[in-house]
Amino acid sequence: MTLWADFEAPQGLVIPDVGSVTYSLFDGTGAPLLVAQELTPEAEATGVSIPIHAIHQIIDPERSFERRQVVVSWLAAGRSYQKRLAYRVVELPIHTVTPADVRTYLGINEDELRDDEVDLFAATLMLQGALGRERFEAALTSGTLLEIRATRAIVLSAAQLLFPSLRFRIAQAKSDGTLKFERLKDTTAFEGLVAATMDELVRITGELGYVAPDVGPPPLILLGTITTDPITGNAPADRVGG
């Protein structure tokens, strides 16, 4: 596995001084796994590829994921800069859902919603929390209608995580000079999508065996409609690396 880091500075991308680029790798507790490892970017490059070795991708079998942080340091014209990258180490998923499936459901394009902005892992984890890991994984590997429903639930859950910011992030109108495309111009259209997603997700989790302890939707519905933007972390208006 490799990560890419751009040499970003307040004035834009810079070319680092020769021999000045290093990186350190930390686990989820902040403990160092590697310290000040030298990197040699290509000549005149404004970014560098960082190797992450398999030995540092091993996680505790009791955990669903572990966090890693990479800190890249360099000098440019004698000035010091630093960039921090974060990612999750997760098990290889047992489902076949892709970010493209979520975009298809939402009716938006890749330039409006990148793959790395669709958190399929968080969506899956929320469903496991509501249904129980064993029950949900059994459904995902059943080879029956339950597998199709469980797969659909991941798409819906991932879409729901995006709703707090999606209304303000996607284009309401596009034009290429001759054709004009508009969507979500009417607020009720977006509200209808949110409601339809919640209704279907509640129905599917019921089919998969969720029993509410009290009147109300499953916990994943409540978590999916919080007021914190899941992409930016701000309040709105992988075993592979994940």
Side-chain angles (χ1 to χ4, degrees):
M1 171 182 169
T2 60
L3 296 176
W4 180 263
D6 289 317
F7 298 127
E8 296 175 322
Q11 65 270 31
L13 296 177
V14 296
I15 298 173
D17 297 344
V18 175
S20 71
V21 184
T22 63
Y23 78 100
S24 298
L25 176 65
F26 302 87
D27 68 14
T29 67
L33 300 174
L34 291 171
V35 177
Q37 301 292 300
E38 292 186 2
L39 288 171
T40 305
E42 296 182 3
E44 306 298 309
T46 57
V48 67
S49 182
I50 305 166
I52 307 295
H53 302 294
I55 192 171
H56 297 128
Q57 300 292 78
I58 299 173
I59 67 174
D60 186 323
E62 298 299 317
R63 295 175 179 269
S64 296
F65 70 96
E66 287 188 9
R67 290 177 290 109
R68 297 286 188 267
Q69 291 192 69
V70 176
V71 178
V72 185
S73 303
W74 70 93
L75 299 176
R79 296 187 62 182
S80 177
Y81 298 95
Q82 190 176 87
K83 182 170 186 176
R84 187 180 301 268
L85 304 171
Y87 66 95
R88 301 187 194 113
V89 180
V90 303
E91 294 181 344
L92 188 69
I94 61 174
H95 62 76
T96 57
V97 180
T98 67
D101 296 323
V102 180
R103 285 193 294 267
T104 297
Y105 175 76
L106 294 171
I108 58 181
N109 302 316
E110 190 172 2
D111 61 339
E112 297 167 310
L113 185 67
R114 302 188 310 272
D115 284 2
D116 60 1
E117 294 178 303
V118 181
D119 200 339
L120 295 173
F121 177 72
T124 303
L125 208 61
M126 289 170 64
L127 287 162
Q128 289 178 356
L131 297 165
R133 180 169 181 168
E134 289 187 6
R135 182 195 296 269
F136 188 57
E137 290 186 351
L140 280 174
T141 57
S142 66
T144 67
L145 180 60
L146 283 180
E147 182 172 337
I148 295 174
R149 304 305 284 156
T151 299
R152 176 69 169 180
I154 295 174
V155 173
L156 298 171
S157 182
Q160 192 177 68
L161 283 172
L162 293 163
F163 284 151
S165 66
L166 191 62
R167 178 67 176 86
F168 306 99
R169 297 178 66 243
I170 61 178
Q172 293 189 21
K174 285 187 175 183
S175 175
D176 62 2
T178 56
L179 296 175
K180 186 176 181 181
F181 172 70
E182 294 187 6
R183 72 175 157 214
L184 300 182
K185 185 175 181 180
D186 183 357
T187 303
T188 58
F190 183 77
E191 293 174 347
L193 175 63
V194 173
T197 301
M198 292 181 65
D199 289 346
E200 186 176 358
L201 194 49
V202 169
R203 184 171 66 254
I204 290 176
T205 53
E207 293 174 2
L208 295 177
Y210 177 79
V211 179
D214 201 349
V215 177
L220 64 109
I221 302 296
L222 300 178
L223 289 172
T225 54
I226 57 178
T227 57
T228 299
D229 187 322
I231 295 172
T232 66
N234 299 323
D238 336 45
R239 304 182 187 245
V240 293

